[in-house]
Structure formats: structure tokens, C-alpha cells
């Protein structure tokens, strides 16, 4: 039967090409869509980690809600030591985050100043890539600070000018600290990103009398699956009862929810595609069976049983699936390699100023990411769909009475 099925496949090349093309395009486009969606999720998660400060965040208990200067990690050494000792951890980033007022001779503006160790931050994001003037933490200035272009314009300051930070100390007292503008960052989207400023960690600690305490310890984890393990380990360090340890998903649940919703929508999209392919191929197979009623009647008259006739149709469906999926795999791999090397510039498509859950998705170039496990699962599902679509036509072919089938075209 399998030899006859292969020969039958090419007796009507037009029908074979039409069905195989439907399978190929559906399969190929699905593989391309899976590759693009996998990479876009990874890019969005990367942007979310950058915006929040890491895969895992450690603060004083209750800081994330109010973000007050009086809530600190008083003894960050045990947390940092424990995190750095874990093989899943790629980087540990100590920070001081100050919400205050930045002043110049021209006016005052709200600011969110982050005291950072620049070398440690590079593991998460190279802040210098957004620099448009000056340099990060110039050694020629006593107290350097880097601010956004928008903030500089509103304060009417340039590189080298003085600005004064007004903020609350850890003890609640208001303090002022003098800084010199060392560099300017691209503002990005309007909002919190335009209020951002950076200063060396030690200077930020001195500005608000924090000593060696920190506001936040950002932890970059190599894999999402390891986040819970890292969180559990950090919750057991000495003094953990005074700390809150959050994953980035807990810190920005809106973003996590959007990604889950988008994944669910993609799942529905794939189901719809499967159903379309299922009914289209089933309909085509059924038409092919009805066109060949006399042929099946002749086979039955020659002693071919109903089971063998049904297997003949199934074998034809199997060969069609292999031919279509082979062409679809070539199409999918070609699309994957092209998009992976060239990329899809979301800014060029009008999404340059896109914001999701308060997180800027600027400069987002989506590529394609190959996940062999998902591709194998999708391939198995497409093959199953094609084979299921051939079941009803096979049953119809099995039920044809030889005497009636032989007279079908008479």
C-alpha cells in the first residue's frame, strides 16, 4: 500500500502541490512566528530586568512600595557574599536610590538619582551606550553626576555645570549635596526615564548619610528557572527578616501579566491555524476520495479489503505531510536565519516609543531565536493534524461498496 500511495501522490501533481503548499506555508510561518515570539519575549524580559534593576532585587522590608530614604539594607555584606557564591548568579549590583530635587540657578526638578558601581552595572546594561555628551563619572570632577538630556534642558545646565541635590537622609533630616554634571544621557521616553541620574555609589551614600548601607542589591541570574532558588537562598541569610527579596516579575507584575497574556493569545492563534489547516486538508482529501470512487471500487473488486483501502489514504496523507513539512522546514529555517541576522527594527515599524507596564521598549530590535524543543513539538502537532484530517476521508473510502463504486461514473 505504501508504494501505491507514493505513486498515487504524483498522478495528480496539481492536487498534491496545492495540499503540500498549504501544509508548507502553515508550518513554515508557524516556525517563523515561534522564533520571533520567543526572541521578542526574551527582549521584553531583558528590558524589564534592566528597568527594575536585575532578575532578583533585595531591599529593606517595604521599600518597594514607598521607596523612602529611611528604608535601607543596613548590612548588605551577607547578601552580596551569598549571592556571589551561587553559580547561577552572573552579577551582583549594589545601589543607592535617592528620590529628591535637583536644583540649578534656573530652577528645580524632581530627580531619581542612582548611586552605582559602573563596572558592576555593565553585566545588566552598559549605561555608557546612552551617553550623548561628556563622560561617565569624569575623574576631573570632584562629585560627578550624569543626568538625562531632558533634565539638563529644564535646568538649563551643560556638562561641567553645578547642580544641587536636595533629599532626605536616612534619619529623616533634609540634606543638600553639590554635584557637577559629568555627562548627559539620551532621555528616551517621557516619564521616569527622563528623571534618571547616576552618581558613583560612595558619593550617593555620603550625600544622604547612609554609610555602608544600600537601598538595593540587584542580582542578575543566568536563567529564569534559577530565580526561585536564588530568592530562597537570599531569604535565609543573616538578617533576612528585615529584607524583602523580589523577582522582577513580582516587582512589575503588570509586565509579567502582559507577557503571559500575549503568550496565551499566541497559543490561541496557533490553535486557529491548526484548525484551519485541519479542515482545509480534510476537505481536500475528501474531495480527492470522492473523485477516485471508481478507482477504489476497482481495488475492492480486485480483492483489496476495506482496511487496505483506508491504509492507502492514510499513507498518502503521511507522504503529503512529509513533503509539505520538508518544504515548510526549509521556509521556516530560511525565515529564521534571515530575521536572526537582519532583525526587525520595531522603531522603523512605528513602535520606537512603545511603553509596556511603564517600561520603555525603545531601540527594540527583534530577531528570531531557535528553540529546538518547541520546534519539535510544533512539528509533531502539525503531523498529527494532517494525519487526523485524513481519518474521515479514509473511513469514507473504506465504506464504499464495490458494486456502487464501479458504476459511479457510468
Amino acid at each position: 500500500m505504501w508504494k501505491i500511495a507514493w505513486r498515487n501522490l504524483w498522478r495528480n501533481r496539481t492536487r498534491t502541490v496545492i495540499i503540500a503548499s498549504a501544509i508548507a506555508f502553515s508550518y513554515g510561518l508557524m516556525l517563523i512566528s515561534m522564533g520571533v515570539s520567543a526572541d521578542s519575549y526574551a527582549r521584553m524580559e531583558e528590558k524589564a530586568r534592566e528597568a527594575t534593576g536585575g532578575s532578583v532585587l533585595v531591599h529593606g522590608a517595604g521599600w518597594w512600595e514607598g521607596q523612602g530614604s529611611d528604608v535601607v539594607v543596613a548590612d548588605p555584606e551577607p547578601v552580596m557574599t551569598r549571592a556571589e557564591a551561587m553559580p547561577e548568579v552572573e552579577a551582583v549590583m549594589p545601589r543607592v536610590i535617592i528620590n529628591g530635587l535637583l536644583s540649578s540657578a534656573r530652577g528645580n526638578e524632581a530627580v531619581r538619582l542612582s548611586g552605582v558601581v559602573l563596572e558592576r552595572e555593565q553585566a545588566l546594561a552598559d549605561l555608557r551606550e546612552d551617553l550623548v555628551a561628556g563622560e561617565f563619572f569624569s575623574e576631573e570632577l570632584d562629585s560627578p553626576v550624569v543626568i538625562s538630556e531632558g533634565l539638563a534642558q529644564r535646568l538649563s545646565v551643560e556638562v561641567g555645570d553645578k547642580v544641587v541635590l536636595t533629599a532626605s537622609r536616612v534619619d529623616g533630616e533634609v540634606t543638600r549635596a553639590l554635584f557637577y554634571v559629568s555627562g548627559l544621557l539620551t532621555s528616551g521616553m517621557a516619564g521616569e526615564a527622563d528623571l534618571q541620574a547616576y552618581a558613583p555609589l560612595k558619593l550617593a551614600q555620603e550625600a544622604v548619610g547612609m554609610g555602608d548601607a544600600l537601598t538595593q542589591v540587584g542580582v542578575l541570574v543566568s536563567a529564569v528557572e534559577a530565580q526561585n532558588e536564588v530568592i530562597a537562598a537570599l531569604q535565609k541569610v543573616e538578617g533576612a527578616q528585615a529584607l524583602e527579596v523580589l523577582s522582577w516579575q513580582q516587582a512589575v507584575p503588570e509586565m509579567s501579566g502582559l507577557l503571559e497574556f500575549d503568550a496565551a493569545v499566541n497559543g490561541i492563534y496557533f490553535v486557529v491555524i491548526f484548525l484551519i489547516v485541519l479542515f482545509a486538508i480534510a476537505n481536500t482529501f475528501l474531495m480527492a476520495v470522492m473523485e477516485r470512487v471508481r478507482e477504489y471500487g476497482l481495488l475492492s473488486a480486485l480483492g483489496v479489503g476495506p482496511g487496505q483501502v483506508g491504509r492507502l489514504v492514510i499513507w498518502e496523507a503521511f507522504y503529503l505531510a512529509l513533503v509539505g513539512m520538508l518544504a515548510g522546514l526549509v521556509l521556516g529555517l530560511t525565515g529564521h536565519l534571515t530575521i536572526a541576522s537582519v532583525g526587525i527594527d520595531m522603531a522603523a515599524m512605528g513602535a520606537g516609543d512603545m511603553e509596556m507596564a511603564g517600561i520603555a521598549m525603545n531601540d527594540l530590535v527583534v530577531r528570531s531565536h531557535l528553540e529546538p524543543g518547541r520546534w519539535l513539538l510544533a512539528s509533531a502537532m502539525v503531523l498529527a493534524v494532517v494525519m487526523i484530517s485524513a481519518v474521515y476521508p479514509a473511513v469514507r473510502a473504506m465504506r464504499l461498496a464495490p458494486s456502487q463504486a464501479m458504476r459511479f461514473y457510468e
Side-chain angles (χ1 to χ4, degrees):
M1 288 295 102
W2 62 270
K3 288 184 179 180
I4 297 174
W6 178 256
R7 290 168 183 167
N8 284 344
L9 206 63
W10 304 109
R11 286 172 54 196
N12 191 329
R13 285 186 170 83
T14 302
R15 181 177 61 219
T16 298
V17 169
I18 291 173
I19 301 176
S21 298
I23 297 172
F25 279 108
S26 301
Y27 179 56
L29 292 176
M30 183 183 66
L31 295 182
I32 293 173
S33 178
M34 289 176 65
V36 171
S37 64
D39 187 77
S40 64
Y41 292 150
R43 302 278 176 178
M44 291 176 186
E45 289 179 2
E46 181 183 348
K47 289 289 185 180
R49 286 196 300 270
E50 290 180 15
T52 54
S55 308
V56 177
L57 309 172
V58 182
H59 316 99
W63 180 85
W64 189 258
E65 289 296 327
Q67 302 195 10
S69 300
D70 57 331
V71 182
V72 298
V73 182
D75 185 13
E77 191 62 30
V79 173
M80 296 182 63
T81 302
R82 181 69 184 92
E84 288 172 341
M86 300 186 70
E88 302 88 352
V89 173
E90 293 184 348
V92 178
M93 297 155 286
R95 300 189 186 97
V96 169
I97 300 175
I98 305 169
N99 294 305
L101 199 66
L102 201 63
S103 305
S104 70
R106 297 295 180 90
N108 308 298
E109 291 290 335
V111 69
R112 181 182 175 89
L113 186 141
S114 298
V116 298
V117 179
L118 192 59
E119 294 75 16
R120 288 180 176 266
E121 294 291 330
Q122 288 178 11
L124 180 64
D126 191 349
L127 300 174
R128 292 172 297 186
E129 291 182 353
D130 295 329
L131 201 65
V132 294
E135 60 181 299
F136 246 97
F137 307 158
S138 172
E139 295 180 358
E140 298 179 0
L141 301 175
D142 291 334
S143 300
V145 66
V146 178
I147 64 177
S148 69
E149 277 186 304
L151 198 56
Q153 290 173 1
R154 293 194 297 275
L155 292 174
S156 298
V157 295
E158 298 177 349
V159 174
D161 290 348
K162 294 186 292 185
V163 290
V164 176
L165 173 69
T166 304
S168 296
R169 292 168 52 92
V170 176
D171 57 12
E173 295 294 327
V174 176
T175 186
R176 290 180 176 83
L178 177 66
F179 289 92
Y180 291 88
V181 178
S182 171
L184 302 179
L185 298 171
T186 179
S187 295
M189 296 181 62
E192 187 174 308
D194 200 35
L195 306 178
Q196 190 66 54
Y198 296 94
L201 180 64
K202 287 295 182 182
L203 288 178
Q205 288 174 321
E206 293 172 2
V208 290
M210 195 172 284
D212 292 329
L214 298 173
T215 307
Q216 181 184 85
V217 177
V219 180
L220 184 62
V221 181
S222 57
V224 177
E225 297 77 15
Q227 283 184 185
N228 290 336
E229 183 180 347
V230 172
I231 290 173
L234 296 181
Q235 287 174 336
K236 296 178 181 178
V237 299
E238 182 182 353
Q241 63 275 9
L243 304 176
E244 65 177 3
V245 185
L246 307 173
S247 66
W248 73 263
Q249 293 93 336
Q250 293 171 319
V252 280
E254 299 87 356
M255 182 65 178
S256 179
L258 282 173
L259 292 178
E260 291 177 3
F261 175 76
D262 193 59
V265 170
N266 270 342
I268 296 172
Y269 163 76
F270 289 136
V271 169
V272 171
I273 291 296
F274 281 139
L275 290 175
I276 292 173
V277 172
L278 176 65
F279 287 111
I281 295 175
N283 179 62
T284 307
F285 270 127
L286 184 59
M287 292 176 63
V289 168
M290 299 311 296
E291 288 176 0
R292 295 160 63 190
V293 169
R294 185 177 177 84
E295 176 187 328
Y296 293 130
L298 178 60
L299 288 174
S300 299
L302 291 173
V304 177
Q308 290 177 301
V309 172
R311 285 197 295 273
L312 178 63
V313 176
I314 295 297
W315 271 112
E316 290 183 20
F318 179 71
Y319 287 137
L320 268 173
L322 289 185
V323 171
M325 290 179 66
L326 181 60
L329 182 61
V330 173
L331 175 64
L333 285 175
T334 302
H336 159 71
L337 294 174
T338 302
I339 297 173
S341 60
V342 177
I344 301 174
D345 189 354
M346 302 303 290
M349 299 177 65
D353 292 331
M354 183 173 62
E355 181 177 333
M356 296 180 66
I359 296 173
M361 296 294 167
N362 54 319
D363 301 326
L364 191 63
V365 178
V366 175
R367 302 184 186 275
S368 181
H369 176 65
L370 175 61
E371 294 185 339
R374 292 188 65 193
W375 277 38
L376 287 174
L377 178 61
S379 301
M381 292 177 67
V382 170
L383 180 60
V385 164
V386 174
M387 298 311 295
I388 291 171
S389 70
V391 170
Y392 180 67
V395 171
R396 287 292 301 269
M398 291 169 60
R399 291 179 177 177
L400 290 173
S403 58
Q404 295 177 348
M406 292 290 288
R407 298 196 302 269
F408 188 78
Y409 289 113
E410 295 178 355

